[in-house]
């Protein structure tokens, strides 16, 4: 009875279901323009991601979408096909500035921010320069010089590592507080845990928090941070591949994997030889003394023994 | 017949019954089971039992009950009134399975088919009679599915009662005819004054017999097809007539237990199909250098690049 239904591609919606912090939609100031969604370079992937600037670009928020198959919304008297739930959550803008600061660091010079934060693909990134939250915390990841009324900055790897380490430690305490299971055993969040995890070590928390922070920094920084945290390397089980099918040639004599002697038993009688053609009969009569059998040419082992 | 108990909530199953005659508690009784409204795409299916002392079978014959299908609606009404008047020795009980119950049973994740639903309704009614203290010795049933299997199932369920399952039992045994009249009358009433829970305004009640091949029924189904919701609860969604119309006229709705080709479905769910482990080349999606941290994947959260 079930007929196959084809799923057409999702089309874009003109409405979304969003959960946002009140601060993101703050409407107290009237003159600075509305909160706006914006596409910026994702510091971890380098690709575009959605972010949101609050009124007046004061604060930055990231947009995450809950996406699961087979969901739709009933909104008042309408149906929204896309069952996504968007979360607009506060984000530290330094994460977004880091890649720009880092690429400016190649020259090793102090530069004004306006020269560092430039991106042809994402011109909106300059709006981060208005983001007071970012400007106030810049000294965590960069050295600063003030000449006259102008400020100059230079990326500092040491400072950044210390800053990221603090982020990891903050995350660890947040993980503990919200009772998030970081152990290896859990696969689904939908299971209700009856027993408390007891075998979770501090290292598990560190590793988990490092993974979370790595979602906001480049892969290189993530590796550096891993070292900085002195986390021991573990080889992920995914890299362990089954042994290849080709067996190495060894010097030991090859032995049969199966017992073929059963075919020689009495009850496994060989089929009677087929009738030979006239040509085969004449060949069979030929004197074969001193002639090697054809099969001997294909078995080098036998040859060696002869020698 | 008073159907108010059912009409109070016609989305669920409902039991109606006559008072149990005192003789039935002391004398050996026979019981007949029959159903009405098995085939139609509209309205409820009604299961009916009728019981009387074995010694009073002749009185039942004198009432001239006959197979409900051979009677006109008026004749059925008449006979039901006679049966109801004979409450000194005849008792009856009905199980009304609402179309919504049928739809949800047959279409739920673990399918509960119409035969199982029917058998369970019949068993429930027999059990009800036993619970009321009726001295059951013989049960006669019009068959649903293969008669022998059904008879075995009922005999095992009710040891000590002689169960006879026969095709066309409603024309062979007066007690089954009586049960069929009760069921049919209840169904007629339920369909005639169906109280629509949906806000449909003035409903066109000219839906014909309710059987799938009735052109009136078909055009009624087309008229009341809502592209999003489908039909009112009056319609059995699990009927292929209803489903075919929904597939062609309504918006496609996808459920996570829809049947799909294994590998395609897996690809859509971002699972790697088992098959892919046997091929040398890695699946295309996995070229991403870093995987999203499990904090996000477990919660089905992802970054988005467009809204």
């Amino acid at each position: 009875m079930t007929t196959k239904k084809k799923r057409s591609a999702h089309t874009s919606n003109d409405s979304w279901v969003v959960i946002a912090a009140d601060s993101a939609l703050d409407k107290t100031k009237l003159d600075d323009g509305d909160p706006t969604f914006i596409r910026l370079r994702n510091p971890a992937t380098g690709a575009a991601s959605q972010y949101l600037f609050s009124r007046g670009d004061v604060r930055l928020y990231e947009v995450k979408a809950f996406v699961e198959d087979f969901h739709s919304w009933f909104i008042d008297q309408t149906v929204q096909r896309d069952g996504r739930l968007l979360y607009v959550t506060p984000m530290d803008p330094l994460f977004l500035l880091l890649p720009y600061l880092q690429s400016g660091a190649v020259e090793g010079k102090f530069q004004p921010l306006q020269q560092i934060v430039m991106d042809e693909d994402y011109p909106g990134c300059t709006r981060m320069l208005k983001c007071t939250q970012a400007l106030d915390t810049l000294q965590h990841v960069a050295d600063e010089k003030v000449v006259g009324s102008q400020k100059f900055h230079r990326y500092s790897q040491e400072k950044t590592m210390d800053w990221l380490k603090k982020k990891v430690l903050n995350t660890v305490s947040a993980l503990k507080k919200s009772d998030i299971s970081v152990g290896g055993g859990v696969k689904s969040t939908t299971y209700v845990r009856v027993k408390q995890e007891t075998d979770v070590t501090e290292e598990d928390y560190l590793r988990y928090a490092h993974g979370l922070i790595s979602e906001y920094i480049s892969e290189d920084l993530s590796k550096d941070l891993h070292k900085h945290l002195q986390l021991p390397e573990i080889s992920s089980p995914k890299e362990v591949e089954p042994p290849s099918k080709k067996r190495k040639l060894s010097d030991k004599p090859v032995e049969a994997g199966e017992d073929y002697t059963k075919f020689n038993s009495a009850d496994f009688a060989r089929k009677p030889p087929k009738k030979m053609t006239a040509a085969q009969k004449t060949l069979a009569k030929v004197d074969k003394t001193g002639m090697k059998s054809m099969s001997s040419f294909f078995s080098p082992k036998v040859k060696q023994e002869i020698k | 017949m008073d159907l108010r108990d059912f009409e109070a909530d016609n989305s669920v199953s409902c039991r109606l019954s006559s008072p149990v005659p005192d003789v039935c508690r002391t004398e050996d009784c026979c019981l007949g089971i029959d159903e009405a409204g098995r085939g139609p795409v509209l309205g409820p299916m009604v299961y009916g039992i009728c019981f009387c002392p074995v010694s009073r079978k002749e009185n039942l014959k004198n009432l001239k009950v006959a197979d409900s299908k051979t009677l006109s609606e008026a004749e059925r009404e008449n006979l039901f009134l006679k049966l109801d008047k004979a409450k000194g020795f005849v008792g009856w009980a009905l199980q009304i399975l609402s179309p919504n119950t049928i739809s949800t049973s047959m279409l739920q994740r673990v399918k509960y088919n119409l035969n199982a639903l029917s058998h369970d309704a019949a068993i429930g009614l027999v059990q009800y009679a036993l619970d009321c203290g009726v001295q059951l010795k013989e049960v006669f049933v019009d068959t649903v599915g293969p008669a022998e299997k059904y008879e075995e199932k009922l005999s095992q369920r009710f040891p000590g009662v002689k169960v006879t399952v026969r095709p066309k039992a409603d024309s062979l045994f007066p007690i089954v005819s009586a049960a069929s009249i009760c069921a049919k009358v209840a169904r007629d009433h339920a369909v005639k004054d169906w109280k629509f829970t949906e806000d449909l305004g003035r409903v066109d009640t000219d839906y014909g017999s309710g059987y799938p091949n009735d052109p009136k029924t078909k055009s009624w189904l087309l008229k009341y097809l809502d592209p999003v919701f489908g039909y009112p609860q009056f319609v059995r969604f699990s009927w292929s007539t209803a489903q075919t119309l929904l597939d062609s006229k309504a918006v496609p709705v996808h459920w996570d237990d829809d049947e799909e080709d294994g590998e395609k479905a897996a690809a859509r769910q971002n699972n790697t199909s088992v098959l892919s482990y046997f091929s040398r080349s890695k699946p295309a999606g996995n070229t991403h250098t870093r995987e999203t941290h499990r904090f996000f994947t477990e919660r089905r959260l992802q970054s988005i690049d467009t809204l």
Side-chain angles (χ1 to χ4, degrees):
Chain A
M1 275 222 273
T2 36
T3 50
K4 250 176 222 165
K5 292 178 269 191
K6 279 206 181 122
R7 290 157 68 86
S8 51
H10 274 272
T11 44
S12 58
N13 303 294
D14 48 4
S15 65
W16 324 287
V17 183
V18 183
I19 292 183
D22 284 340
S23 59
L25 309 170
D26 186 18
K27 285 188 175 167
T28 46
K29 285 188 232 156
L30 290 166
D31 46 343
D32 287 337
D34 284 325
T36 42
F37 285 107
I38 186 169
R39 269 158 70 101
L40 295 172
R41 192 184 289 279
N42 186 310
T45 63
S49 284
Q50 282 287 341
Y51 296 90
L52 180 133
F53 276 119
S54 68
R55 195 171 276 276
D57 299 352
V58 183
R59 269 183 297 253
L60 179 78
Y61 297 80
E62 69 167 332
V63 181
K64 288 269 185 203
F66 169 84
V67 182
E68 207 171 34
D69 259 330
F70 310 112
H71 286 69
S72 296
W73 290 105
F74 277 115
I75 303 169
D76 291 330
Q77 293 301 310
T78 61
V79 177
Q80 183 160 317
R81 199 191 143 178
D82 141 35
R84 286 195 310 184
L85 176 58
L86 302 187
Y87 289 93
V88 176
T89 48
M91 169 159 181
D92 191 331
L94 272 193
F95 283 116
L96 287 188
L97 285 176
L98 262 183
Y100 295 107
L101 286 164
Q102 253 190 315
S103 58
V106 186
E107 292 141 60
K109 282 188 284 190
F110 283 90
Q111 284 177 295
L113 266 187
Q114 286 81 354
Q115 278 179 32
I116 300 171
V117 185
M118 282 190 302
D119 198 328
E120 278 183 5
D121 300 330
Y122 303 94
C125 72
T126 51
R127 287 172 70 174
M128 282 190 280
L129 299 177
K130 285 201 274 173
C131 193
T132 48
Q133 191 194 354
L135 300 178
D136 294 347
T137 53
L138 215 53
Q139 78 275 5
H140 292 309
V141 294
D143 299 320
E144 212 174 84
K145 245 186 202 172
V146 185
V147 178
S149 62
Q150 258 206 307
K151 269 187 187 175
F152 297 87
H153 294 274
R154 185 179 65 187
Y155 171 74
S156 157
Q157 174 83 2
E158 279 164 65
K159 280 185 165 184
T160 304
M161 281 301 128
D162 287 336
W163 176 69
L164 286 174
K165 187 176 180 178
K166 273 183 206 156
K167 287 274 180 199
V168 169
L169 296 177
N170 281 346
T171 308
V172 166
S173 60
L175 287 171
K176 285 179 179 168
K177 219 187 269 173
S178 39
D179 202 19
I180 284 168
S181 89
V182 298
V186 184
K187 291 277 178 282
S188 169
T189 48
T190 49
Y191 287 124
V192 178
R193 302 184 64 79
V194 182
K195 259 202 267 177
Q196 275 288 312
E197 272 182 291
T198 47
D199 54 345
V200 177
T201 62
E202 199 64 20
E203 190 195 310
D204 287 332
Y205 274 109
L206 269 182
R207 212 176 274 287
Y208 195 95
H210 169 261
L212 262 180
I213 295 295
S214 297
E215 287 289 310
Y216 297 90
I217 53 179
S218 68
E219 194 162 7
D220 288 339
L221 268 183
S222 167
K223 280 177 187 155
D224 292 343
L225 180 59
H226 198 272
K227 272 183 214 142
H228 189 69
L229 291 168
Q230 290 165 330
L231 280 169
E233 292 282 344
I234 44 165
S235 58
S236 94
K238 272 175 195 160
E239 284 158 20
V240 182
E241 273 189 43
S244 90
K245 285 261 174 160
K246 276 184 193 166
R247 268 191 228 153
K248 272 188 184 169
L249 292 168
S250 71
D251 298 331
K252 286 174 191 169
V254 180
E255 278 182 70
E258 274 181 73
D259 181 12
Y260 293 107
T261 54
K262 62 187 173 192
F263 296 112
N264 298 336
S265 63
D267 49 19
F268 199 88
R270 279 174 187 272
K271 283 180 188 169
K274 280 179 190 166
K275 272 192 178 173
M276 288 193 282
T277 61
Q280 283 173 321
K281 271 179 194 165
T282 50
L283 273 173
K285 282 176 196 161
V286 172
D287 182 12
K288 281 176 283 203
T289 46
M291 287 171 90
K292 275 188 194 170
S293 82
M294 184 77 91
S295 61
S296 71
F297 290 99
F298 297 101
S299 55
K301 284 271 154 66
V302 180
K303 247 185 185 171
Q304 279 171 355
E305 276 168 20
I306 292 168
K307 276 179 190 173
Chain B
M1 188 180 283
D2 184 5
L3 284 179
R4 271 176 296 181
D5 281 352
F6 175 63
E7 279 161 1
D9 181 0
N10 61 22
S11 67
V12 293
S13 184
C14 172
R15 177 168 299 158
L16 303 173
S17 55
S18 72
V20 175
D22 287 334
V23 275
C24 293
R25 291 203 171 90
T26 51
E27 283 187 46
D28 286 356
C29 288
C30 60
L31 182 145
I33 310 178
D34 198 14
E35 117 280 314
R38 191 177 165 77
V41 61
L42 300 177
M45 179 164 84
V46 182
Y47 254 80
I49 56 166
C50 234
F51 48 89
C52 73
V54 178
S55 57
R56 305 290 287 271
K57 269 186 188 172
E58 284 308 307
N59 300 45
L60 208 61
K61 263 186 194 158
N62 296 339
L63 286 176
K64 293 211 178 70
V65 290
D67 176 10
S68 64
K69 284 176 203 111
T70 63
L71 303 169
S72 72
E73 198 175 329
E75 284 171 319
R76 281 199 298 264
E77 287 288 332
N78 233 335
L79 276 173
F80 177 73
L81 289 178
K82 275 192 196 168
L83 276 173
D84 213 27
K85 266 192 198 127
K87 52 164 106 28
F89 67 98
V90 178
W92 55 265
L94 297 170
Q95 188 74 30
I96 306 182
L97 301 169
S98 72
N100 187 48
T101 307
I102 297 171
S103 303
T104 49
S105 301
M106 290 174 74
L107 295 175
Q108 71 190 352
R109 213 169 260 265
V110 181
K111 303 289 176 270
Y112 182 26
N113 70 35
L114 197 66
N115 273 4
L117 199 63
S118 303
H119 289 183
D120 290 347
I123 287 168
L125 283 169
V126 174
Q127 189 61 51
Y128 162 80
L130 287 170
D131 292 346
C132 291
V134 177
Q135 297 298 306
L136 274 190
K137 286 293 169 290
E138 305 167 2
V139 168
F140 300 92
V141 194
D142 199 355
T143 189
V144 171
E148 283 155 37
K149 264 195 179 173
Y150 193 19
E151 191 169 292
E152 196 185 306
K153 185 177 177 180
L154 287 174
S155 301
Q156 273 181 351
R157 182 71 178 70
F158 301 107
V161 179
K162 193 184 172 301
V163 181
T164 312
V165 180
R166 284 286 154 72
K168 298 204 175 110
D170 50 353
S171 53
L172 297 172
F173 311 103
I175 194 71
V176 180
S177 308
S180 92
I181 286 165
C182 295
K184 188 81 176 145
V185 168
R187 165 149 169 108
D188 288 343
H189 282 239
V191 170
K192 204 187 260 171
D193 337 295
W194 185 263
K195 303 268 184 295
F196 286 88
T197 34
E198 296 80 8
D199 182 16
L200 297 175
R202 263 186 66 89
V203 185
D204 170 15
T205 50
D206 191 18
Y207 30 70
S209 67
Y211 278 85
N213 52 10
D214 186 335
K216 266 190 181 173
T217 303
K218 243 189 171 161
S219 64
W220 189 88
L221 282 176
L222 268 176
K223 185 176 173 186
Y224 283 94
L225 187 141
D226 180 281
V228 171
F229 297 99
Y231 299 109
Q233 281 190 4
F234 186 47
V235 178
R236 301 183 191 172
F237 282 65
S238 45
W239 255 237
S240 63
T241 324
Q243 278 178 348
T244 320
L245 284 175
L246 285 176
D247 284 344
S248 59
K249 297 280 191 307
V251 176
V253 177
H254 303 276
W255 304 94
D256 66 356
D257 59 347
D258 278 349
E259 279 169 36
E260 263 183 293
D261 287 341
E263 212 171 351
K264 260 190 204 164
R268 206 175 31 67
Q269 286 165 17
N270 274 331
N271 290 336
T272 357
S273 104
V274 174
L275 291 176
S276 70
Y277 291 100
F278 297 109
S279 65
R280 275 279 142 206
S281 58
K282 289 212 165 127
N286 280 9
T287 49
H288 217 277
T289 43
R290 265 200 290 177
E291 275 173 34
T292 312
H293 191 255
R294 67 182 163 107
F295 177 86
F296 294 111
T297 50
E298 281 170 3
R299 286 160 181 77
R300 306 281 183 270
L301 290 173
Q302 49 184 247
S303 293
I304 47 170
D305 63 345
T306 45
L307 281 174

